[in-house]
Amino acid sequence: MACLPDEVWIEALRSGVHRGVLDHRDLCSLSISSHALNKLCVLPSLWKPLFQRDFPQEYSSASSSDF
């Protein structure tokens, strides 16, 4: 973890989420594995696509300011 910058981890996590490889359970599991990953796994840019995918009706009715 310490040998890679946060930007690399963030891109790996985003790629996993966007490709459907990672879901909310995976992000939660990763977040409890270390303080550094916890800091990254709570980013809205990771959770927003999951929310859009899992709750499309709620997302379309919510304003963008809610995120």
Side-chain angles (χ1 to χ4, degrees), residues 21-64:
V21 177
L22 297 175
D23 63 12
H24 65 280
R25 291 176 294 245
D26 298 319
L27 288 182
C28 290
S29 294
L30 285 167
S31 73
I32 63 171
S33 65
S34 74
H35 290 286
L37 280 174
N38 180 275
K39 179 180 73 171
L40 302 177
C41 286
V42 298
L43 294 172
S45 63
L46 296 175
W47 287 93
K48 186 175 179 178
L50 294 175
F51 183 78
Q52 290 172 327
R53 182 172 57 211
D54 293 343
F55 304 102
Q57 296 83 12
E58 288 83 355
Y59 180 76
S60 62
S61 64
S63 69
S64 61

